[in-house]
Each structure stands twice: as structure tokens, then as C-alpha cells.
Amino acid sequence: MNSALPTGIKPQWLAHENNAIEVLVISNPFCDAVIAYQGAQVLHYQAKQKPPLLWLSTGNRFQSGKAIRGGIPLCFPWFGAHPDNPALAAHGFARNLLWQLAAAEHNMHGHRLRFVLSETVATRSIWDYAFKLSVEIQFGAQLEVKLQVSNTDSQPFEFGFAWHSYFAIQDICQTQLHGLEHVPFLDQLVPAAGYSHVEHQPVGFLAETDRIYQQAGGHYQITAEQQTPIQIDAPACSSVVVWNPWAEKATRLGDMPENSWKNMLCVECGQVGEANVQLQAGQTLSYPLILSY
Ligand code: BG6
């Protein structure tokens, strides 16, 4: 529907060497933003008079079909490594595929866009179900994203998902994450210990961190001195993953320039692992995420 884009939305290409991905650049009285057709992934969001909310790696090569590091990738239909086949793409296929723009409107709060993704021969070859995903985004004074997962098959399916949000922060060592006090977590760096860890104060960061919390409350806040607090609300999500790779893993990942890990924190709301969801044929579930600062 490129031909009928409303005022304030422009198509553009993000390029690196011979690669490029198509994005939409959005500008309205409330915010500036960029979203890619690949993964329906928000890459940039900046409310007026505020700094950028999201971190996007300057090491991205924008190869079509390869995960883009930063913004808000959507992990679906599994989170992390595939449970049975480690050769399949980590975090599922949704973030690597081109989505279709189904609607775009200019409204009194900014712009609202809706992207959709359904099964193809390629998705069926790795996950043999009929499905429909819809991601609706309101680009306004706050960023509101909503995932709808519909089972259009004649049998139930199980899925995991996460909004793998990369937040821009000034200094990871000075940053705190609130809202996970007293909630048991799995430390993915020592998974054998299971959900045996619990902290009674806000999460601080002094080393590589990779944690899965279940039965979390869905409301979190990122704070640091000299930084406007970031509010994260995902009321329908019971899991949250907290991740910073630190220096050594960031180097290994290969798409994060030196020291850039100091300026990012991932707080990933979703349904993962034990909290994967069973969806009956014909049913739809919705998962909103609201980010404000
Ligand atoms: C996090 C995981 O969600 O994503 C980490 O907890 C992982 O273990 C990270 O390294 C990045 O994954 P990817 O596939 O985008 O490199």
C-alpha cells in the first residue's frame, strides 16, 4: 500500500555496501520514528524534545533475511534456540521475514500502522501451521505496539514470543531495572540452577546478564542518574528476559562495535519457555507493549 502512504510517512532504504532494507520514516508533531518491513521491526523512536528511546547497532549490515540488531525485533514462534533443532534461526523466523503493510493512517495522536505476516511454503517447512500475525503500532507521544497471534489452522499450536526491545541508555553500569524485585529468575549463564535465584532490590549491571523471569508483573522501569526514566508496560506478558552481552560476548556477536554494549539494555517482554502458549484453532490472542519516557 506504498502508493497511499499518509502525510508524514516516507519510504526509504537503509544501506550497507551492497545490502539494503526498506523502511518507513515517520514524522509527526509527537515523534520521529523508523520501522522496517523486515520483521515489522521498529528501529528508531524519539518523542519530541526527548533523546532516542531505542538502541540500534551501527554495526548492522542490513542483509535482507538476517536479524537486525537493535530497535524492537519480534521473536516468534519460538524464543532463543529452537528446542529440538539448533540449526534453525534463533528467536524464530518472524524477525527475518518481510511483512506486509496492511494499514497506515494519520490520526490525532500521530500515526498508526499495521503490518501482517501469514504462513508461506517456507514457514511451513520449519513450522507446519497456518497462522496470522498482526503488529499494530501507534507512533505518538508514547510508543504503543500490539501483537495479535491468530491460529488459522484446524489444529492447536504452541508458540513462544518476545518483544526483544533494545533500550538506549547512557551507561549500563549506572543503570537499574525496577519491577523484578522478589521474582525468581533463571540465569541463562548457569541454567542448571533453574529458577533458584531471587533478588530483593532493583536489578543492577556489573557483568554479562542473561536472565529469564516468569510470573513477572508486566510493569518495569529503567532508571539512571541524568536519564529520564523509561516505563515499560506489557500487561499480558508473564515472562521477561533481561540481557546485556558485556564486552566479550558483544565482540563474539560480530555486529556490535566496540563498547556499544555499554549503551544498551534489553528488556524483553513475552511468553517464553515454560510460559509458551497453547493456541486453539480459530483463536486469537493480543499482547500490547507500551513504552513511555
Ligand atoms: C537474548 C538472549 O534474548 O537474545 C541471549 O537471552 C541472546 O541469550 C540474545 O544472546 C541475542 O540473540 P540474537 O539471536 O539476536 O543474537
Side-chain angles (χ1 to χ4, degrees):
M1 63 159 299
N2 256 2
S3 53
L5 286 174
T7 316
I9 305 185
K10 289 207 173 78
Q12 202 174 294
W13 292 86
L14 289 185
H16 176 82
E17 294 176 351
N18 294 328
N19 310 315
I21 57 155
E22 192 174 13
V23 299
L24 293 172
V25 178
I26 295 150
S27 186
N28 61 48
F30 307 97
C31 70
D32 294 297
V34 177
I35 184 164
Y37 282 86
Q38 181 174 308
Q41 186 168 336
V42 179
L43 300 181
H44 169 69
Y45 170 83
Q46 182 166 13
K48 292 289 173 185
Q49 320 298 338
K50 306 238 171 108
L53 175 67
L54 303 172
W55 177 92
L56 179 66
S57 178
T58 53
N60 277 307
R61 296 180 195 92
F62 299 125
Q63 276 170 285
S64 159
K66 289 269 162 64
I68 304 167
R69 178 133 354 251
I72 314 183
L74 173 64
C75 308
F76 180 94
W78 60 87
F79 177 84
H82 186 277
D84 312 315
N85 184 354
L88 292 176
H91 292 323
F93 49 72
R95 64 176 177 169
N96 298 330
L97 296 178
L98 283 182
W99 290 50
Q100 264 192 332
L101 182 63
E105 66 168 42
H106 194 194
N107 56 30
M108 61 190 290
H109 303 294
H111 287 96
R112 181 175 292 270
L113 271 62
R114 192 163 64 84
F115 287 83
V116 291
L117 181 77
S118 299
E119 78 282 0
T120 60
V121 173
T123 66
R124 279 213 178 258
S125 70
I126 44 180
W127 196 67
D128 194 9
Y129 298 104
F131 67 90
K132 183 171 177 187
L133 300 184
S134 151
V135 163
E136 196 171 279
I137 312 110
Q138 174 71 39
F139 294 98
Q142 55 184 22
L143 182 61
E144 300 169 27
V145 191
K146 186 171 76 180
L147 169 69
Q148 282 193 316
V149 184
S150 300
N151 182 341
T152 50
D153 211 320
S154 53
Q155 54 180 327
F157 62 59
E158 180 180 319
F159 69 92
F161 92 96
W163 293 113
H164 195 308
S165 313
Y166 287 78
F167 294 98
I169 54 170
Q170 282 178 11
D171 179 359
I172 186 72
C173 298
Q174 303 295 323
T175 299
Q176 290 198 312
L177 176 64
H178 305 252
L180 290 164
E181 298 84 348
H182 322 299
V183 182
F185 65 87
L186 172 81
D187 185 343
Q188 296 218 78
L189 306 174
V190 265
Y195 286 85
S196 61
H197 311 271
V198 65
E199 287 178 354
H200 302 286
Q201 63 283 337
V203 183
F205 301 90
L206 292 170
E208 180 180 353
T209 304
D210 197 346
R211 300 177 174 184
I212 300 180
Y213 293 79
Q214 303 288 15
Q215 281 133 26
H219 304 286
Y220 318 103
Q221 198 181 42
I222 299 172
T223 63
E225 256 179 57
Q226 323 256 322
Q227 180 159 341
T228 317
I230 299 171
Q231 191 66 42
I232 304 163
D233 294 297
C237 295
S238 64
S239 312
V240 64
V241 181
V242 179
W243 180 61
N244 181 290
W246 228 255
E248 192 269 325
K249 181 163 176 177
T251 309
R252 234 183 316 132
L253 289 172
D255 55 6
M256 294 180 68
E258 211 185 344
N259 289 330
S260 61
W261 56 274
K262 292 181 180 168
N263 304 118
M264 55 137 292
L265 172 62
C266 285
V267 181
E268 310 162 29
C269 300
Q271 297 294 135
V272 313
E274 298 79 350
N276 274 0
V277 177
Q278 287 285 338
L279 191 59
Q280 299 304 314
Q283 301 287 300
T284 295
L285 285 171
S286 291
Y287 298 98
L289 172 71
I290 299 156
L291 305 176
S292 52
Y293 67 128

